């Protein structure tokens, strides 16, 4: 069931399953953040994260490494099951595995940071001094979506105001607990402790935990994701996220900030030329006014030429890219020769 | 207080449905459930439906957590249920009902008491000032 705000006209790769992963419940309602994003995409030609073309490019670059996607997650120990299959059955099983992998690889949404709530419903100054603590009232109606739930706070000075986003998240987690989410966010997500996580190369784990804990438009979610992407880009550990659902978000972040050189070199070193060209196409879609975009459109360049033009005009590490390209071409020549 | 709505619950003679607090929890740790029950039932006994909860002790963020199932509350109020006074005051604080007049009166009385105390205390405060300074020094 792919339910969505029909006015946006977006093709969403999400299949809502009410069993375990109700993470994107907001998508079925009129997603507030989504409308804001597409409104921008409609007026100016700037593509947003959720556009079909962009999503296709990002999905191609993510790659599907079945071994990594279905690697053993720490569950209870069960002895392995062996099945005897014909070739046709094996192909069928691989096809089904690829479809399941596609579902596992749906990218989490990239939204703008949410605006703080400063709504005052009533001011009753004569109540000042009667209470010492504030009251937080939560509406427990089951059929109301969490975004539209009424959560109000009566302060000791008598002011009745809407609750802040942090208070909202906490109350909703208390009354409608979600798996993997804690009422008070773990200390792990603070900046000083993220460094330890990055040293142990556990970027994917912390991104999964971040998705479980925070809403996609909360400042904490955005901060943790940006810190992770920055660290990956600094150390060049792009392969940690390849074939996971975070790869698209990382590429989007890097392309928006024009830090694509390291990723490009990594792709060429691993002989992923198609991914490299899609990366540069995405770059041109997002920054159509840059020089390499204009040259590419004029010349209608493809493949290696595109990379060369991009390296010449836009990148900082031109030498490295040329070196990597030369190594790749030599490897291709020797492999075709032998 | 009979109204048109209470005609709907005529299967119960001599009592009425109330929305009130049922006390639960342990020693020195109260916890109230906001409950729709028949008026002549015991306070913590069998109820018709639980409509929410109130935790009177503040949590680590200094807030008292209250949950209210507004949809079911409206249903029971529509059926002609009555409210106990603390329930009315709580719903007034929440903004679901207008503020209870006793809340306002209570606030006024508290303010007058405090003012009366402050009027008395400055007269008491002036002699023990050297005493205070010696206590602060020690």
């Amino acid at each position: 069931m792919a339910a969505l705000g029909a006015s946006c006209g977006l093709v969403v790769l999400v299949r809502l399953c009410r069993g375990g992963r109700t993470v994107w419940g907001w998508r079925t309602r009129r997603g507030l953040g989504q409308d804001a994003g597409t409104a921008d995409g409609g007026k100016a030609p700037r593509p947003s994260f959720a556009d079909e073309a962009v999503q296709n490019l990002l999905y191609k670059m993510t790659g599907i490494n079945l071994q990594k996607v279905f690697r053993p997650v720490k569950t209870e120990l069960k002895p392995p099951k062996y099945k005897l299959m014909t070739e046709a059955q094996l192909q069928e099983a691989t096809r089904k595995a690829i479809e399941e992998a596609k579902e596992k690889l749906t990218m989490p949404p990239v939204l703008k940071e949410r605006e703080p709530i400063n709504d005052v419903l009533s001011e009753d100054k004569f109540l000042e001094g009667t209470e010492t603590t504030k009251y937080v009232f939560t509406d427990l109606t089951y059929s109301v979506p969490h975004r539209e739930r009424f959560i109000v706070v009566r302060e000791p000075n008598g002011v009745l105001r809407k609750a802040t986003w942090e208070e909202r998240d906490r109350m909703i987690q208390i009354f409608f607990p979600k798996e993997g989410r804690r009422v008070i966010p773990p200390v792990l997500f603070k900046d000083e402790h993220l460094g330890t996580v990055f040293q142990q190369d556990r970027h994917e784990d912390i991104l999964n935990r971040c998705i479980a804990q925070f809403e996609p438009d909360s400042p904490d979610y955005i901060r943790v994701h940006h810190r992770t992407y920055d660290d990956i880009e600094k150390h060049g550990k792009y392969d940690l996220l390849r074939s996971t659902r975070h790869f698209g978000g990382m590429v989007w972040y890097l392309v928006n900030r024009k830090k694509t050189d390291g990723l490009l070199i990594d792709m060429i070193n691993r002989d992923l030329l198609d991914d490299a060209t899609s990366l540069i196409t995405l770059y041109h879609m997002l920054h159509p006014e840059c020089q390499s975009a204009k040259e590419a459109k004029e010349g209608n360049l493809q493949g290696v030429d595109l990379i060369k033009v991009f390296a010449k005009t836009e990148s900082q590490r031109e030498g490295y890219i040329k070196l990597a390209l030369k190594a790749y071409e030599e490897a291709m020549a020797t492999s075709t020769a032998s | 207080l009979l109204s048109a709505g209470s005609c709907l619950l005529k299967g119960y003679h001599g009592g009425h449905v109330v929305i009130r607090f049922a006390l639960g929890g342990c020693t020195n740790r109260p916890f109230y459930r906001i409950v729709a029950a028949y008026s002549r039932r015991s306070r913590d006994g069998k109820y018709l439906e639980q409509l929410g909860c109130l935790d009177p002790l503040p949590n680590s963020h200094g807030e008292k957590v209250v949950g209210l199932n507004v949809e079911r509350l409206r249903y029971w109020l529509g059926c002609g249920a009555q409210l106990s006074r603390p329930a009315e005051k709580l719903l007034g604080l929440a903004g679901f009902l207008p503020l209870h007049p006793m809340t306002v009166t209570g606030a006024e009385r508290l303010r007058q008491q405090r003012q009366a105390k402050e009027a008395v205390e400055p007269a008491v405060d002036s002699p023990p000032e050297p005493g205070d300074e010696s206590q602060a020094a020690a």
Side-chain angles (χ1 to χ4, degrees):
Chain A
M1 187 180 92
L4 67 159
S7 60
C8 310
L10 299 166
V11 172
V12 172
L13 298 171
V14 175
R15 273 219 325 253
L16 270 190
C17 32
R18 263 257 151 197
R21 302 234 251 114
T22 42
V23 193
W24 321 137
W26 65 275
R27 281 218 187 208
T28 53
R29 326 295 172 184
R30 298 150 278 129
L32 313 167
Q34 267 213 321
D35 284 340
T38 47
D40 280 347
K43 285 179 201 157
R46 186 191 173 81
S48 86
F49 184 72
D51 285 345
E52 195 176 332
V54 172
Q55 283 282 317
N56 283 338
L57 285 172
L58 293 174
Y59 177 68
K60 257 198 305 188
M61 277 194 264
T62 307
I64 304 186
N65 181 2
L66 289 172
Q67 299 300 320
K68 188 171 175 188
V69 172
F70 291 110
R71 74 165 172 270
V73 176
K74 284 205 185 108
T75 47
E76 48 168 289
L77 278 177
K78 279 184 281 196
K81 284 190 244 179
Y82 298 99
K83 286 188 195 167
L84 193 62
M85 291 190 198
T86 62
E87 278 285 341
Q89 280 174 337
L90 183 64
Q91 277 171 13
E92 175 71 25
T94 326
R95 192 183 58 78
K96 265 200 229 164
I98 289 179
E99 274 178 22
E100 269 187 47
K102 257 194 215 172
E103 194 192 311
K104 276 201 173 185
L105 289 177
T106 42
M107 293 178 222
V110 174
L111 303 170
K112 284 192 246 210
E113 206 171 300
R114 59 193 177 194
E115 302 287 336
I117 305 177
N118 293 326
D119 223 351
V120 168
L121 298 172
S122 128
E123 300 219 11
D124 302 310
K125 285 295 174 191
F126 46 81
L127 287 181
E128 185 142 6
T130 44
E131 302 282 341
T132 47
T133 49
K134 46 184 169 168
Y135 280 90
V136 181
F137 298 96
T138 317
D139 178 18
L140 300 182
T141 318
Y142 194 67
S143 59
V144 161
H146 288 321
R147 290 272 160 165
E148 291 161 33
R149 207 168 275 285
F150 280 112
I151 303 185
V152 295
V153 175
R154 173 77 75 173
E155 299 271 356
N157 61 3
V159 155
L160 185 67
R161 60 170 176 86
K162 288 193 184 169
T164 59
W165 283 109
E166 288 77 29
E167 285 165 356
R168 283 188 68 93
D169 285 338
R170 251 190 303 126
M171 289 302 131
I172 289 172
Q173 180 56 17
I174 288 175
F175 288 111
F176 302 97
K178 210 168 74 156
E179 210 185 307
R181 197 178 275 210
R182 297 240 183 120
V183 175
I184 301 174
V187 189
L188 184 64
F189 293 115
K190 296 213 165 96
D191 282 325
E192 51 266 19
H193 301 114
L194 283 177
T196 330
V197 177
F198 295 149
Q199 271 172 11
Q200 296 172 354
D201 275 357
R202 286 161 58 185
H203 300 79
E204 197 198 333
D205 291 337
I206 193 155
L207 284 181
N208 285 335
R209 285 190 71 173
C210 175
I211 290 179
Q213 177 67 37
F214 300 114
E215 293 284 308
D217 52 359
S218 80
D220 283 312
Y221 177 98
I222 293 173
R223 174 182 58 85
V224 171
H225 276 252
H226 287 188
R227 279 288 309 269
T228 318
Y229 298 148
D230 284 332
D231 185 81
I232 289 182
E233 201 253 326
K234 198 166 73 165
H235 299 285
K237 299 177 185 169
Y238 304 100
D239 203 42
L240 283 174
L241 288 194
R242 194 166 275 132
S243 201
T244 61
R245 56 188 176 155
H246 312 290
F247 194 77
M250 181 180 76
V251 172
W252 180 259
Y253 173 79
L254 294 175
V255 173
N256 268 320
R257 279 153 186 79
K258 300 193 177 182
K259 290 185 189 166
T260 49
D261 301 327
L263 182 57
L264 198 57
I265 296 169
D266 184 77
M267 278 175 175
I268 301 174
N269 284 336
R270 289 173 203 273
D271 296 340
L272 297 163
L273 260 259
D274 301 324
D275 289 350
T277 39
S278 15
L279 176 66
I280 299 179
T281 331
L282 186 67
Y283 188 98
H284 292 166
M285 274 168 66
L286 276 178
H287 303 282
E289 72 289 340
C290 74
Q291 200 185 348
S292 73
K294 291 182 194 143
E295 284 186 28
K297 221 170 31 171
E298 286 164 25
N300 204 9
L301 306 168
Q302 302 293 330
V304 186
D305 304 317
L306 199 61
I307 308 178
K308 286 191 183 139
V309 162
F310 178 81
K312 210 164 19 139
T313 49
E314 288 298 322
S315 67
Q316 269 83 34
R317 292 194 244 174
E318 191 187 328
Y320 286 103
I321 299 182
K322 283 219 166 72
L323 210 65
L325 271 176
K326 224 192 296 186
Y328 171 75
E329 277 161 8
E330 279 170 17
M332 291 297 289
T334 48
S335 67
T336 46
S338 61
Chain B
L1 203 90
L2 286 181
S3 57
S6 61
C7 303
L8 299 165
L9 292 172
K10 272 302 176 199
Y12 183 59
H13 292 288
H16 48 88
V17 175
V18 265
I19 297 173
R20 61 188 182 194
F21 297 156
L23 179 62
C26 306
T27 319
N28 290 324
R29 208 313 179 196
F31 184 82
Y32 296 100
R33 283 164 294 153
I34 303 167
V35 130
Y38 286 123
S39 62
R40 290 185 305 173
R41 280 271 179 195
S42 55
R43 182 195 67 193
D44 300 338
K46 191 166 155 189
Y47 50 79
L48 295 163
E49 187 179 351
Q50 180 178 354
L51 304 171
C53 58
L54 158 66
D55 181 7
L57 301 187
N59 66 8
S60 56
H61 297 267
E63 25 185 67
K64 294 186 189 169
V65 173
V66 178
L68 298 165
N69 193 337
V70 171
E71 189 206 325
R72 295 305 295 169
L73 202 61
R74 286 164 57 121
Y75 167 78
W76 283 110
L77 289 174
C79 279
Q82 295 178 20
L83 292 161
S84 66
R85 195 164 297 144
E88 273 179 346
K89 287 188 175 170
L90 187 74
L91 292 178
L93 279 187
F96 183 71
L97 295 176
L99 264 190
H100 198 263
M102 285 310 291
T103 323
V104 182
T105 321
E108 270 301 316
R109 286 178 187 168
L110 206 66
R111 196 170 305 129
Q112 279 164 10
Q113 268 180 7
R114 287 209 185 114
Q115 280 173 355
K117 243 194 249 178
E118 269 174 40
V120 170
E121 269 177 9
V124 180
D125 267 343
S126 24
E129 262 170 340
D132 283 339
E133 280 173 8
S134 65
Q135 270 179 9

